[in-house]
Amino acid sequence: MSRLFEAIKIRDVEFRNRVLVSPMCMYSSVEGMPTDWHLVHLGARAAGGAGGVMVEATAVSPEGRISPFDSGIWGDRHVEGFGRITRFIKEQGAVPGVQLAHAGRKASTDAPWRGGKPLHEWAPVGPSAVPFREGYAVPVELDGKGMEKVVGDFVAGAKRALAAGFEVVEIHMAHGYLLHEFLSPLANKRGDEYGGTLENRMRLPLRVAEEVRRVWPGRLPLFVRISATDWVEGGWDLQQSIELAMRLKKLGVDLIDCSSGGVVAHAKIPNTPGYQVGFAEAVRKEAGIATGAVGLITEAKQAEEIIAKGQADVVLLAREMLREPNWALRAAGELGAEIRWPKQYERAKK
């Protein structure tokens, strides 16, 4: 029997299998509003058999967008825009989730197909006045009032996510965006209670998680995505990630989505199949919390092995889902697992 296609229940939410669509920026929103592209893109993967579908990094404030074309959830009008998407995902039997994000010092860049260069349309913020790399704006160092706004924006975003019908919220603490910037000594050069020691660098991210958990219903799961390592000497690393995961678990976080890198441009990341699975395994074992494995997971047998060996509780597929929206349907066939096809597609099942 396939372990990958066993259901998993987290709090009161049951995922029909362990295959989740990873959040992937589409750079196709208008003033934060999802478009028809998002409905078709996300809906296709729900119809394609995934257990859960995560909406891309969705900014909790306008200045928290990576680009002017990012998904957003800073206004009540975004609720209606996402509502039709969550309804369709649920109708296909999948769980809708959203990644709440703030880009920090990496904000205000162009879409990648136009080079992804800094646009300087608005002033980015960060833990310290240190730019991401040459050509990027020097971020405004957040003061106490600014940090309170960040916390409030994440809380408001979680409330809107609930109103929009999402059943999972994932807090983005990875890829060099704001909360990861506070965690990493490579970006956080502060000399106050938010910088220096691990305890201080974790302070704002933990506060965000605590306040989001407070307003997010107890029946619904809360995930956190981390970069388990910066891949640079003296940066954020796996041991610090394990400590963070233990603290997040105490606050009511249910699953750690283990990615890596992104806080500096010069990191050398070994892009080999399953290169981040070991992080998910270590966090799961040492912190005693459910984990998600992500990163160059492409084959059914590879994903099955990750779950069967107890290296992670779910797998999140990104680019492979772009190549093949029906990946989960095909993988179930390869592994001999029963999975419900959309009735409109059943004639193609055999």
Side-chain angles (χ1 to χ4, degrees):
M1 181 177 176
S2 169
R3 292 293 311 280
L4 183 64
F5 285 93
E6 284 181 355
I8 179 172
K9 190 172 185 180
I10 304 177
R11 294 192 182 246
D12 290 350
V13 175
E14 183 167 279
F15 298 78
R16 59 185 171 184
N17 57 57
R18 313 299 183 100
V19 179
L20 275 58
V21 178
S22 188
M24 292 176 279
C25 290
M26 294 288 106
Y27 304 99
S28 300
S29 297
V30 179
E31 296 181 345
M33 290 290 289
T35 62
D36 288 348
W37 176 267
H38 295 87
L39 175 64
V40 175
H41 161 68
L42 297 164
R45 282 139 190 91
V53 178
M54 299 291 294
V55 174
E56 64 193 79
T58 298
V60 295
S61 63
E63 67 274 16
R65 290 173 292 172
I66 304 165
S67 81
F69 319 107
D70 279 23
S71 170
I73 199 161
W74 65 80
D76 291 342
R77 65 197 180 95
H78 297 119
V79 171
E80 184 177 351
F82 281 116
R84 65 176 186 151
I85 295 172
T86 60
R87 286 192 294 273
F88 186 83
I89 290 172
K90 290 176 187 177
E91 286 169 3
Q92 309 316 305
V95 175
V98 63
Q99 186 183 68
L100 301 182
H102 191 301
R105 68 178 185 172
K106 294 174 79 173
S108 191
T109 61
D110 208 342
W113 49 81
R114 288 196 292 267
K117 294 180 180 179
L119 292 174
H120 305 291
E121 290 191 4
W122 64 86
V125 299
S128 304
V130 180
F132 171 61
R133 65 186 301 178
E134 186 178 353
Y136 277 69
V138 176
V140 176
E141 184 173 308
L142 284 168
D143 58 12
K145 185 177 179 181
M147 286 184 278
E148 284 302 313
K149 181 181 184 304
V150 167
V151 174
D153 288 341
F154 271 94
V155 168
K159 290 178 178 178
R160 292 190 183 100
L162 180 65
F166 288 105
E167 295 182 331
V168 177
V169 153
E170 177 172 90
I171 302 171
H172 203 349
M173 296 188 185
H175 300 167
Y177 300 125
L178 183 64
L179 297 181
H180 181 196
E181 290 164 19
F182 269 89
L183 293 171
S184 174
L186 300 179
N188 185 343
K189 305 296 183 182
R190 300 176 74 99
D192 62 5
E193 67 270 31
Y194 291 92
T197 66
L198 175 60
E199 184 69 25
N200 286 353
R201 286 182 278 114
M202 291 192 300
R203 194 178 305 276
L204 182 63
L206 289 175
R207 173 95 189 284
V208 168
E210 181 177 24
E211 292 302 313
V212 168
R213 181 73 271 181
R214 183 177 60 81
V215 301
W216 190 240
R219 62 187 173 82
L220 299 179
L222 177 61
F223 295 1
V224 169
R225 172 165 277 190
I226 65 168
S227 280
T229 179
D230 289 338
W231 298 106
V232 175
E233 189 71 30
W236 184 257
D237 59 24
L238 179 57
Q239 277 309 121
Q240 293 176 92
S241 294
I242 290 168
E243 178 64 29
L244 175 65
M246 289 191 288
R247 297 288 294 273
L248 290 169
K249 180 183 178 182
K250 289 178 182 178
L251 294 176
V253 170
D254 301 291
L255 182 142
I256 306 297
D257 177 359
C258 296
S259 190
S260 69
V263 81
V264 291
H266 62 274
K268 292 189 173 13
I269 300 175
N271 289 314
T272 55
Y275 69 103
Q276 296 173 150
V277 172
F279 300 139
E281 183 176 19
V283 170
R284 186 176 190 266
K285 179 181 178 182
E286 299 299 326
I289 190 170
T291 61
V294 63
L296 287 180
I297 298 169
T298 60
E299 301 298 328
K301 289 181 179 178
Q302 176 194 16
E304 173 73 21
E305 187 175 84
I306 290 167
I307 302 301
K309 286 185 174 180
Q311 294 176 293
D313 297 272
V314 300
V315 295
L316 295 103
L317 276 68
R319 295 185 190 191
E320 192 62 20
M321 282 288 183
L322 299 184
R323 300 180 189 106
E324 191 174 354
N326 296 331
W327 187 92
L329 297 180
R330 177 181 62 79
E334 287 185 18
L335 297 171
E338 263 308 310
I339 186 172
R340 190 189 84 181
W341 282 51
K343 59 182 180 292
Q344 297 91 337
Y345 290 177
E346 282 180 348
R347 74 192 79 166
K349 190 172 181 179
K350 292 182 180 180

